[in-house]
Amino acid sequence: MEPLSFPSEGKQASPTLKTLETCKKIISSMSLPEENGWNDFQPLCFYKGFWWHPYFIERSLFAQENFKVQPRDIFICSSPKTGTTWLKALTFATLTRTHFKNSPSPLLSKVSHDCMPFMEIDCIENPFIPANDFPLCATHVPFSSLPKSVIDSGCKIIYICRDPKDSFVSLWHHTNKLRPKNNEKICLEEAFELYCNGKSPYGPYWEHVLGYWKASLENPDKLLFLKYEDMMRDTAFYLKKLGEFIGHPFSLEEEKEAAVEEVMRLCSFKHLSNLEVNKTEKSVFFRKGEVGDWISLLTLEMGERLDNIMEEKLSGSGLTFKS
Ligand code: A3P
C-alpha cells in the first residue's frame, strides 16, 4: 500500500479517495467467506477471525493504516447491542459535567452516538479524530483489529459487554427494525443458529469479549472492562469507577451535591428514551433496556444452549456471565 502523508496534528486531513479505494481493492481481492443469513442485502464476511460487514472491514483497514491518537483520547469499544448508547452517554456526561454545568448538555438534543466520532466511519474524513473538544471516540472493531496507535499510545479504552442472550435478542429486534417495512422478519431460529455458530456482526461474540477481557487483565490501567448487568445493578459504583478511570473522578464535594445521581438521571433509559430526539421513527437505540428480557423471546432450552456455549468458550478466562 502506498504510504500516506499526514498534515500536522490537529488539522483536518483529507486523504485521497484512492487510499480508501486501495483498502477496498485489498479486501475485494481476498474472496472472504460470506454469510447471508442476517441481511439479504449485505453479507457478513469472515476477516481476521470475525464476521464483519465489508463496509466496516475496508474502513477498519483504513483506520489501522492511518489513525493517529493522542494519550488523552478515550475509546469506547463494544459489540453491537451491548449497551453502547448508554456507555457513550455516561462517559460523555461524566467528562463534560463541569463544562455543561450551566448550559444544556448536548445529550438533550443529540443521540449519544452523535456526541463523538465513530472510528470506522469518521476516520475517513479525519485520521486525527477525536479532534473535537472532548477526546472521545467509539468503535466496534475487535481488540485485535484496533489501530496500533490505539494500543501503543497512553489512551484509555472502556469496553462494555452484556449477557449474550439479551444481546442476541436486542440484535434480532434491531436487525428487524432496520429492514424495509414490507420485508419479512429474519427467522428467529435461523438467526439464533447463526449466532451460536459465531456468525453475527463482529462475532463470534465470545471472541470479541475475550479479546478485550484478556487485554484488561494485562493492562487494567489502560482498559476498563464493564458489564451491562453490573452497571444496571449498581450504576453509581461503576460510574464513579468510570470517572476515576478517565481521570475525572467525582470529588467528595460533588458526591455531596449528588453529581453522580445527576449523571445517572441524565443518562437513564427512562430519561433519554423520552427525549424528542430519541423518540423518532429512526431511533433504533432504545427498546426496553432491561436485564433478562431474553426470556420474552427465547425458550429456556435456547437460553441454556447459549449459556453452555459461553461457559465452554470462556472457560479458564476468569470471566463468566452467570448471575
Ligand atoms: P434492548 O434491545 O434489550 O432494550 P447498543 O447501545 O449497544 O446498541 O445496545 C442497545 C441496548 O441498550 C438496547 O437493549 C437498548 O434498549 C439499551 N439501552 C439504550 N440506552 C440505554 C440506557 N440509557 N440505559 C440502559 N439501557 C439502554
Side-chain angles (χ1 to χ4, degrees):
M1 185 178 290
E2 284 175 23
L4 288 169
S5 57
F6 293 104
S8 56
E9 296 258 323
K11 283 193 186 155
Q12 294 276 310
S14 46
T16 62
L17 202 64
K18 188 167 164 259
T19 311
L20 180 60
E21 284 306 314
T22 316
C23 296
K24 285 184 183 174
K25 275 189 200 147
I26 292 171
I27 299 303
S28 64
S29 70
M30 284 179 149
S31 3
L32 300 168
E34 291 186 358
E35 173 54 63
N36 281 291
W38 275 97
N39 189 327
D40 301 333
F41 313 103
Q42 205 188 23
L44 292 176
C45 291
F46 194 64
Y47 174 73
K48 298 207 168 172
F50 290 87
W51 291 93
W52 314 56
H53 288 296
Y55 178 89
F56 291 117
I57 305 180
E58 297 152 10
R59 280 155 178 80
S60 95
L61 183 59
F62 182 92
Q64 276 170 29
E65 296 282 319
N66 303 318
F67 198 47
K68 297 279 174 284
V69 297
Q70 297 179 40
R72 67 170 198 150
D73 296 341
I74 300 161
F75 277 77
I76 295 178
C77 306
S78 61
S79 264
K81 314 322 291 174
T82 56
T84 319
T85 313
W86 187 29
L87 179 61
K88 283 182 178 181
L90 289 171
T91 312
F92 183 86
T94 303
L95 188 69
T96 62
R97 64 185 188 273
T98 326
H99 193 95
F100 294 113
K101 200 165 183 183
N102 299 312
S103 57
S105 167
L107 287 168
L108 297 173
S109 52
K110 283 187 196 178
V111 184
S112 64
H113 299 280
D114 292 338
C115 292
M116 63 194 72
F118 187 66
M119 186 184 78
E120 296 88 301
I121 293 177
D122 297 302
C123 177
I124 306 301
E125 288 296 319
N126 179 12
F128 291 103
I129 58 167
N132 54 9
D133 293 345
F134 311 114
L136 293 170
C137 187
T139 180
H140 282 322
V141 307
F143 185 80
S144 51
S145 285
L146 283 175
K148 210 171 164 319
S149 57
V150 176
I151 309 286
D152 293 345
S153 72
C155 76
K156 302 261 183 183
I157 298 174
I158 311 172
Y159 182 74
I160 187 163
C161 64
R162 186 181 189 188
D163 182 323
K165 303 192 289 306
D166 283 339
S167 188
F168 165 77
V169 167
S170 186
L171 179 67
W172 186 80
H173 284 292
H174 179 90
T175 309
N176 283 322
K177 202 163 177 189
L178 292 180
R179 283 162 89 87
K181 280 228 159 65
N182 35 9
N183 272 43
E184 274 179 32
K185 285 190 170 178
I186 177 169
C187 167
L188 176 70
E189 286 72 22
E190 221 177 279
F192 186 72
E193 196 57 38
L194 289 170
Y195 194 90
C196 288
N197 287 312
K199 295 178 174 180
S200 57
Y202 299 95
Y205 178 72
W206 46 88
E207 293 297 343
H208 201 283
V209 172
L210 273 175
Y212 282 93
W213 170 249
K214 287 178 184 162
S216 77
L217 294 181
E218 277 166 26
N219 201 345
D221 292 338
K222 182 174 177 78
L223 205 159
L224 178 65
F225 188 96
L226 298 170
K227 281 188 188 164
Y228 182 87
E229 293 74 21
D230 291 343
M231 293 180 63
M232 289 288 273
R233 187 174 33 81
D234 194 346
T235 313
F237 174 82
Y238 288 97
L239 185 56
K240 284 191 249 174
K241 201 167 167 166
L242 189 151
E244 268 166 38
F245 182 75
I246 63 174
H248 289 259
F250 289 89
S251 65
L252 281 178
E253 196 60 34
E254 282 184 299
E255 286 197 33
K256 271 190 221 144
E257 289 170 2
V260 176
E261 286 74 14
E262 177 48 29
V263 170
M264 281 165 56
R265 192 203 59 81
L266 173 66
C267 303
S268 71
F269 182 88
K270 192 172 166 202
H271 181 243
L272 288 183
S273 62
N274 277 307
L275 293 174
E276 259 337 288
V277 61
N278 294 326
K279 276 204 290 193
T280 63
E281 258 284 282
K282 271 166 58 199
S283 176
V284 287
F285 300 107
F286 299 89
R287 196 180 62 89
K288 284 191 178 174
E290 288 172 6
V291 172
D293 179 54
W294 65 271
I295 203 75
S296 65
L297 195 72
L298 305 183
T299 62
L300 288 175
E301 289 73 29
M302 289 163 107
E304 201 176 327
R305 180 173 168 202
L306 203 38
D307 280 344
N308 289 339
I309 292 174
M310 289 305 281
E311 201 173 324
E312 185 204 322
K313 302 290 181 187
L314 302 184
S315 82
S317 70
L319 179 64
T320 171
F321 281 92
K322 281 206 166 144
S323 39

